[in-house]
Amino acid sequence: MGRIQEYQCPSCHGTWKLFLGHGRKHSSIKQVLKFFSPELQNKIITEAKGNPDPLFLFNYQAALCKDCHTLVAVPVIQFLETKKTYVSKCPNCGGDAEILAEDSDVICPQCKKETLCIQEVGNWD
């Protein structure tokens, strides 16, 4: 089950609500491929080496887009055997997204003055 996290800036009051983690429908490689670009899909299929059921972790993870400078949730897949990880692009602008470490301090991408307050506000599936 996924979690809904709200990021809020105490200075400018910017707010971002991100749906993180994964749901039941993300349990097979076929189901998660559609969340990646055709280029990444080809790389993921190659990494799976023809195995229709490879061991992998899939999650939506919090990220900061390097181009549009906003917080987003991006699909990330990691193959357990090879540790190879593929990160999708920003869903807003298609730019490169930098994954945020869990429990890391995040400076507001809007005003750049304060560390964002993070609160879990729900679950999703």
Side-chain angles (χ1 to χ4, degrees):
M1 179 169 290
R3 65 193 186 287
I4 305 167
Q5 284 190 325
E6 186 175 84
Y7 295 73
Q8 186 170 37
C9 178
S11 180
C12 71
H13 304 290
T15 302
W16 297 264
K17 192 177 284 189
L18 303 182
F19 288 68
L20 304 174
H22 62 274
R24 285 182 274 182
K25 67 179 180 179
H26 303 124
S27 61
S28 78
I29 198 79
K30 282 184 180 180
Q31 293 169 321
V32 300
L33 274 176
K34 65 183 174 188
F35 301 111
F36 296 91
S37 69
E39 178 186 341
L40 278 181
Q41 287 179 20
N42 288 334
K43 290 180 179 181
I44 291 167
I45 290 167
T46 300
E47 185 69 30
K49 297 177 177 82
N51 183 347
D53 231 359
L55 297 175
F56 69 92
L57 292 175
F58 172 85
N59 283 296
Y60 281 92
Q61 293 186 20
L64 178 61
C65 177
K66 295 177 181 179
D67 292 339
C68 68
H69 306 288
T70 191
L71 290 179
V72 292
V74 294
V76 177
I77 188 169
Q78 180 185 41
F79 287 89
L80 297 178
E81 293 171 344
T82 64
K83 302 295 184 210
K84 183 72 177 170
T85 301
Y86 297 94
V87 178
S88 190
K89 300 282 187 178
C90 172
N92 295 340
C93 74
D96 289 333
E98 181 182 334
I99 299 298
L100 302 174
E102 291 255 347
D103 300 323
S104 65
D105 288 339
V106 180
I107 300 296
C108 178
Q110 194 166 284
C111 72
K112 299 179 181 18
K113 291 181 181 177
E114 296 274 350
T115 299
L116 298 177
C117 299
I118 305 169
Q119 180 179 353
E120 191 166 310
V121 295
N123 295 305
W124 67 273
D125 192 23

